[in-house]
Amino acid sequence: MKLITVKETEAGQRMERLLSRYLQEAPKSFLYKMLRKKNITLNGKKADGSEKVQAGDEIRIFLADDTYEKFAGHPEKKKVAYPVTDLDILYEDAHVLLVNKPAGMLTQKAKPEDISLNEYLLGYLQKSGQWDEESGKDENGNVRVNYAFHPSVCNRLDRNTSGIVVCGKSLAGLQKMSELLRDHSMHKYYQCLAAGKVTEDRRIRGYLWKDSKANRVRILEKEREGAAFIETWYRPIRVFSDCTLLEVRLITGRSHQIRAHLASEGHPVIGDCKYGNPGVNTYYRQKYGLKSQLLHAARLEFPALEAPFRPISGRVFEAELPGQMKRIIEEREEG
């Protein structure tokens, strides 16, 4: 007999969906048959699979070990020690965690050997005892399987962009945060230092076409096959002699949108080696030792939310500008 105790991270989903995660090779017809025959029970009672599971619920699976292993599709997992680093955590509850990512850190792996914020998130939760993917046994010798859900980052920032990254600690948190990002009801504001003077607010539109092989995008004025509509709003915060500190809001959210869209307007982000002005970048590199683009995900505004997300309902979170960006802005003000 296998025992699954539903964790906070797994709560809120249909029982049949959770079962499909643990018995990923089993046909749904088999799962429903086992439910009908009470070979799979919920809290000691017959279930039909449509029940919404809650934290602490106990699912018992009465299958022979070899049958279970066949349908599980993988052997019992050994504990993986995820890497740990100091994270600048802006907010944390049972479902959501907000991190101020530094420039130079990947949000997610690009290659198998990479270490990204996603691995550091798992390392933090593992070290603090909030999550563990290791299988174990209870006091009666029943196998507890804990690896169905992995917390994860919900939005991506480019390696050399700093600022707020949203992470889902529970399945409910991951699903809700992904939904808010997808329907744009969570508003994301960035700050960047852009080349040239910008003296008025603007809302610009275009079409973004991605060249996957080159990992860069092009901004088009007219629609074409494979190009996605984009919209960006920005306003000047401080105007200097040769550059402007901008606040930018993504109305749509596409890969490299801010960097490419501002560059197409003649105001590339300073330090951006892909879409920026080489002469401007050389000046800032020589004068300030700048190695990354001056683009920062500075503010996050949540809409009104129901339980269990009331702690962040309608709240605004801000991440302080990184030190080098602040110093450059201060020096431009003095100059």
Side-chain angles (χ1 to χ4, degrees):
M1 190 272 286
K2 309 292 184 185
L3 174 65
I4 299 171
T5 302
V6 179
K7 292 185 173 183
E8 184 72 39
T9 56
E10 300 170 325
Q13 61 184 307
R14 287 166 60 96
M15 180 182 176
E16 56 90 9
R17 184 171 181 180
L18 182 61
L19 285 171
S20 293
R21 290 174 178 269
Y22 288 103
L23 299 172
Q24 57 188 15
E25 300 298 328
K28 283 193 175 182
S29 59
F30 174 81
L31 295 178
Y32 288 128
K33 181 180 179 180
M34 294 300 100
L35 286 163
R36 287 195 305 271
K37 295 179 69 174
K38 292 187 68 174
N39 285 343
I40 301 177
T41 63
L42 176 63
N43 296 325
K45 298 179 182 179
K46 186 176 181 179
D48 62 17
S50 65
E51 297 83 358
K52 289 284 187 73
V53 295
Q54 302 302 321
D57 283 350
E58 293 186 338
I59 299 172
R60 286 178 169 81
I61 304 175
F62 298 92
L63 295 175
D65 288 345
D66 57 346
T67 302
Y68 182 90
E69 290 171 6
K70 171 187 172 183
F71 287 128
H74 47 68
E76 296 293 336
K77 278 195 168 185
K78 294 182 179 180
K79 184 173 181 179
V80 176
Y82 286 91
V84 175
T85 191
D86 289 333
L87 295 177
D88 183 5
I89 297 174
L90 305 175
Y91 173 81
E92 181 178 7
D93 62 27
H95 301 282
V96 178
L97 186 145
L98 305 180
V99 179
N100 181 17
K101 182 188 84 70
M105 180 186 290
L106 286 167
T107 308
Q108 292 179 309
K109 286 186 176 188
K111 301 186 293 293
E113 63 269 24
D114 287 337
I115 297 177
S116 69
L117 175 58
N118 211 58
E119 284 69 56
Y120 289 130
L121 167 68
L122 296 175
Y124 164 74
L125 295 175
Q126 190 178 62
K127 184 179 179 181
S128 59
Q130 299 183 67
W131 173 82
D132 200 330
E133 67 175 354
E134 182 182 24
S135 298
K137 294 184 178 181
D138 66 10
E139 63 276 9
N140 298 316
N142 298 315
V143 176
R144 293 180 180 272
V145 193
N146 301 329
Y147 48 73
F149 172 77
H150 279 64
S152 175
V153 298
C154 301
N155 64 308
R156 296 183 65 172
L157 295 179
D158 295 331
R159 180 198 287 266
N160 290 318
T161 297
S162 58
I164 304 175
V165 175
V166 183
C167 307
K169 288 177 57 179
S170 68
L171 179 62
L174 184 60
Q175 291 174 334
K176 189 63 177 179
M177 295 305 103
S178 297
E179 175 191 320
L180 298 180
L181 288 161
R182 188 168 56 250
D183 65 18
H184 308 297
S185 55
M186 178 196 296
H187 296 163
K188 297 181 292 180
Y189 291 85
Y190 294 72
Q191 288 190 22
C192 68
L193 202 61
K197 288 187 176 183
V198 180
T199 57
E200 60 182 11
D201 299 10
R202 290 204 63 194
R203 191 177 182 124
I204 55 177
R205 300 172 176 84
Y207 295 89
L208 183 148
W209 181 80
K210 185 174 182 179
D211 182 346
S212 298
K213 290 183 179 180
N215 190 29
R216 60 180 298 133
V217 302
R218 287 174 54 197
I219 305 300
L220 310 173
E221 292 183 2
K222 297 181 179 180
E223 187 176 6
R224 67 171 268 190
E225 185 178 355
F229 174 76
I230 58 170
E231 190 169 7
T232 309
W233 171 91
Y234 61 84
R235 72 176 182 91
I237 300 174
R238 301 178 195 172
V239 183
F240 307 115
S241 60
D242 62 347
C243 60
T244 306
L245 178 63
L246 295 177
E247 179 179 57
V248 184
R249 180 187 164 195
L250 288 173
I251 310 301
T252 59
R254 302 289 180 180
S255 178
H256 299 184
Q257 180 177 325
I258 291 176
R259 296 160 58 193
H261 218 177
L262 288 177
S264 73
E265 292 288 303
H267 300 293
V269 175
I270 292 172
D272 185 352
C273 62
K274 188 162 287 188
Y275 305 103
N277 182 302
V280 171
N281 290 346
T282 297
Y283 171 79
Y284 277 81
R285 184 170 58 252
Q286 292 176 346
K287 185 173 177 62
Y288 301 104
L290 185 63
K291 295 181 180 179
S292 61
Q293 63 246 15
L294 297 177
L295 176 61
H296 179 69
R299 190 166 87 251
L300 204 60
E301 297 181 352
F302 283 95
L305 297 169
E306 298 296 326
F309 305 106
R310 285 202 181 97
I312 56 174
S313 178
R315 290 186 62 180
V316 177
F317 296 92
E318 295 185 344
E320 188 177 0
L321 292 176
Q324 187 179 44
M325 190 170 177
K326 285 199 296 186
R327 288 192 297 274
I328 291 174
I329 291 169
E330 289 168 358
E331 287 198 29
R332 303 315 289 174
E333 286 179 329
E334 294 172 359

